[in-house]
Amino acid sequence: MNTEHGGCSVTITGLGIRQGFAVLAVVVLVAWGMTARAAGLDEVTSSPPAAADAAEMEHINRLIGQLAGEDADVRQQAVHALVDTGDAATLSRLERALDDADRATRVAVKPIKTLLKNKLNLASGDEAVRRAAAGDLGTSGQPVARAWLETAAVKEPQYWVRYAMEEGAALLRLAEEDPAARIAAAEKLGELKSQNALPALKELAQQLSGNAGALESNGPVRLAVTKAIERIELWSTWAGVFETLFRGVSLGSILLIMSLGLAIVFGLMGVINMAHGELMMVGAYATFMTQELFKAYLPPSIFDAYFLASLPVAFLVAGACGLFIEATVIRFLYGRPLETMLATWGVSLVLIQLARVLFGDVTAVTAPAWLSGGVQVLAGVYFPYNRLFIIALSIVCVIGIYLALFRSSLGLRVRAVTQNRNMSACLGIPTRKVDAYTFAFGSGLAGLAGCALTLVGNVEPGLGQNYIVDSFMVVVTGGVGKLAGTIVAALGIGSLNKFLEPSFGAVYGKVFILGLVILFLQRRPSGLFAIKGRHAD
């Protein structure tokens, strides 16, 4: 048998068994030698990174020792050495080096770790992380961070993240000793209308004014700082007005949802329902129970959907309670407003005590994640998502009520009964059923208001007592049974309430509004939009 390899011929025919094993052994030895050589090369090749890592760890340990020393210049040099070359690998090595360090060393190194983390977070894919990192770096007092912020701001596509980066860089520049840098920083902060920079600017202005020996040289800086302070304070006043107006509209939206049902009931049946606030409380507790059911029986992944489910639940539960109250109490007291008011007040007390027995004094509803946070619309003006949702819900309710009253046969019957009950009954309209269904519908709207209120406050048995007086003021000020009047009065009273609270307090503010409403009704007893027709009196 002949075997050819590479042009050479080896004849093994006639070889003995010993010679064959000898050849096989030689082949195995050669193959093992080549494998060992390759493994040796790999070991030699991989050893430099390990050696480099060890050298880097030794360098970091030496810098950590310098940070824990008492020489300020040496500490500052160590800080610069760490942050100038700091990357994810350096941060990881720094954390490993601190595993066996004492408490004093950890305390000394902690600001450097935070600085490096924020430097890396400037390149994060999350806008919130980048913005938070920019804010932390701006208040860190480390001049080296200014270059990072300026470089990141040039590349940043999102406006408010870029705003935070520019603000942080200007704050760090304001702390420099160069007068030109301070003037440029003050002008930039004034241009940004940065309310976060106001304390630093006021402190710098006080320092410059107190330095009597350098008043002339510091004059341009002091002038730039003063102009920036005036510009920021003026904008802060307007920002406060915008936020107060927004909170007033949010409160007015809750009053609007609650007052719409009250206006329909009062305008249709002439019933002064003192339990309307407690129907609002029923809607709030229905929202709380929906939340607890989602926690107990459904997967956590869909927990945030509980609030959307609680909207129809609150409406239906409060509407069912209203239907029960109408059938058992109010139906027998039509035409007797004083007795109706006293009876519904008694019902409200029963509902309050029942809620206290079943749920205790205070419970809370956790806002879903998609309603957490908010949106910044202007410098210093921040609109929370939960209040935006309340405003949107009130708009949906107004549109739904308009369609129900003016674009449906049921709404036609309701308006007919409101204008002339006796004539409507003669034409075959079941006025008692219309009364019952309308009262249930108004009660359901109060339940929706309670559901919305859980986003901005706690749930307690006396929840409705805080809003029932305001709701009646909205109804009588807007005009009984008038949708447009209810909208205008709710937004007006809610906004006025929030504007008066800072000056007069919550209690005296409401008293002042009540006085204004009384004076208004002396001039216009029918409200903003008076009823027209035969029964205008």
Side-chain angles (χ1 to χ4, degrees):
M1 177 180 177
N2 293 335
T3 301
E4 293 186 0
H5 180 74
C8 298
S9 176
V10 180
T11 303
I12 62 175
T13 303
L15 291 178
I17 296 176
R18 292 181 180 179
Q19 288 85 350
F21 276 114
V23 173
L24 182 61
V26 171
V27 172
V28 170
L29 287 174
V30 171
W32 177 81
M34 295 177 65
T35 304
R37 185 171 179 270
L41 288 175
D42 289 341
E43 184 177 355
V44 172
T45 305
S46 60
S47 60
D53 186 70
E56 188 65 26
M57 286 295 296
E58 182 180 354
H59 177 62
I60 289 176
N61 286 325
R62 184 169 62 253
L63 293 177
I64 290 175
Q66 294 174 359
L67 285 173
E70 297 182 358
D71 191 338
D73 294 335
V74 173
R75 289 201 306 269
Q76 193 64 27
Q77 291 176 1
V79 170
H80 283 291
L82 282 172
V83 299
D84 287 345
T85 59
D87 53 10
T90 303
L91 183 61
S92 176
R93 295 187 184 103
L94 187 62
E95 291 177 345
R96 278 188 289 157
L98 290 175
D99 288 341
D100 299 326
D102 56 10
R103 184 177 181 277
T105 304
R106 289 176 179 274
V107 172
V109 177
K110 184 178 179 181
I112 309 303
K113 284 178 57 180
T114 304
L115 196 66
L116 290 176
K117 286 182 180 179
N118 287 324
K119 178 185 177 182
L120 297 175
N121 286 339
L122 288 177
S124 172
D126 189 347
E127 294 180 3
V129 173
R130 296 199 305 273
R131 187 173 181 179
D136 291 342
L137 289 173
T139 57
S140 65
Q142 295 291 343
V144 69
R146 180 169 68 87
W148 304 342
L149 291 169
E150 291 174 347
T151 303
V154 174
K155 304 175 183 178
E156 178 57 50
Q158 211 279 333
Y159 176 79
W160 290 112
V161 179
R162 185 169 65 252
Y163 176 94
M165 293 174 176
E166 293 176 352
E167 179 187 59
L171 281 171
L172 293 173
R173 200 173 185 185
L174 189 69
E176 296 179 4
E177 297 296 332
D178 184 10
R182 285 182 167 180
I183 292 173
E187 291 176 350
K188 183 64 177 178
L189 292 171
E191 177 187 344
L192 294 173
K193 305 179 184 66
S194 170
Q195 297 183 28
N196 295 328
L198 204 54
L201 288 169
K202 288 184 176 180
E203 183 180 356
L204 179 59
Q206 187 176 3
Q207 292 176 359
L208 295 175
S209 299
N211 190 359
L215 282 177
E216 185 175 352
S217 60
N218 290 332
V221 179
R222 191 171 65 255
L223 180 61
V225 171
T226 303
K227 287 183 177 180
I229 292 174
E230 292 175 353
R231 189 173 182 181
I232 294 172
E233 287 181 341
L234 178 61
W235 176 253
S236 298
T237 302
W238 283 107
V241 171
F242 292 148
E243 287 197 331
T244 302
L245 181 61
F246 176 74
R247 289 195 299 269
V249 172
S250 175
L251 174 61
S253 298
I254 296 176
L255 290 177
L256 176 59
I257 300 173
M258 187 172 178
S259 302
L260 284 172
L262 195 62
I264 294 173
V265 171
F266 190 35
L268 176 67
M269 297 180 289
V271 173
I272 302 175
N273 182 16
M274 296 299 294
H276 199 73
E278 280 56 53
L279 292 171
M280 179 184 186
M281 175 201 68
V282 169
Y285 276 112
T287 304
F288 171 74
M289 290 303 299
T290 305
Q291 170 193 266
E292 295 304 307
L293 290 174
F294 266 69
K295 281 183 180 178
Y297 299 105
L298 294 177
S301 59
I302 62 172
F303 172 75
D304 287 338
Y306 87 88
F307 196 80
L308 293 178
S310 67
L311 291 172
V313 171
F315 181 85
L316 293 175
V317 172
C321 289
L323 192 63
F324 178 77
I325 294 171
E326 195 278 336
T328 56
V329 178
I330 295 175
R331 176 171 297 181
F332 306 103
L333 299 174
Y334 283 129
R336 292 184 286 176
L338 182 59
E339 288 87 341
T340 304
M341 183 174 65
L342 291 174
T344 53
W345 180 60
V347 170
S348 71
L349 296 178
V350 171
L351 291 175
I352 290 173
Q353 294 303 320
L354 182 62
R356 184 169 284 114
V357 169
L358 294 177
F359 300 101
D361 288 331
V362 178
T363 54
V365 173
T366 304
W370 53 276
L371 286 179
S372 301
V375 57
Q376 186 168 0
V377 292
L378 296 170
V381 181
Y382 187 82
F383 290 170
Y385 288 136
N386 55 355
R387 294 188 178 272
L388 289 172
F389 179 83
I390 292 172
I391 295 173
L393 180 63
S394 67
I395 294 173
V396 172
C397 288
V398 169
I399 295 174
I401 291 173
Y402 174 80
L403 295 176
L405 288 180
F406 298 98
R407 293 292 185 270
S408 69
S409 59
L410 177 61
L412 182 62
R413 293 187 179 93
V414 170
R415 288 185 286 123
V417 174
T418 302
Q419 293 178 13
N420 195 322
R421 176 179 294 273
N422 294 329
M423 182 60 70
S424 300
C426 292
L427 293 175
I429 296 176
T431 57
R432 292 302 185 190
K433 285 186 178 181
V434 171
D435 289 340
Y437 295 155
T438 304
F439 193 88
F441 182 73
S443 302
L445 289 175
L448 278 181
C451 180
L453 192 62
T454 59
L455 294 174
V456 293
N458 292 326
V459 181
E460 57 180 342
L463 178 69
Q465 298 294 318
N466 301 325
Y467 294 90
I468 185 64
V469 176
D470 290 344
S471 299
F472 273 110
M473 284 195 297
V474 168
V475 172
V476 297
T477 303
V480 177
K482 304 300 291 185
L483 182 61
T486 304
I487 296 172
V488 174
L491 296 179
I493 290 177
S495 301
L496 187 61
N497 201 342
K498 288 300 180 182
F499 275 108
L500 292 177
E501 274 185 8
S503 301
F504 296 93
V507 176
Y508 288 105
K510 287 189 176 182
V511 172
F512 186 77
I513 293 174
L514 180 60
L516 291 179
V517 170
I518 293 173
L519 292 176
F520 173 77
L521 293 177
Q522 292 292 325
R523 299 294 302 271
R524 292 183 64 90
S526 299
L528 290 172
F529 296 86
I531 298 176
K532 297 179 182 179
R534 299 177 187 176
H535 291 265
D537 55 338

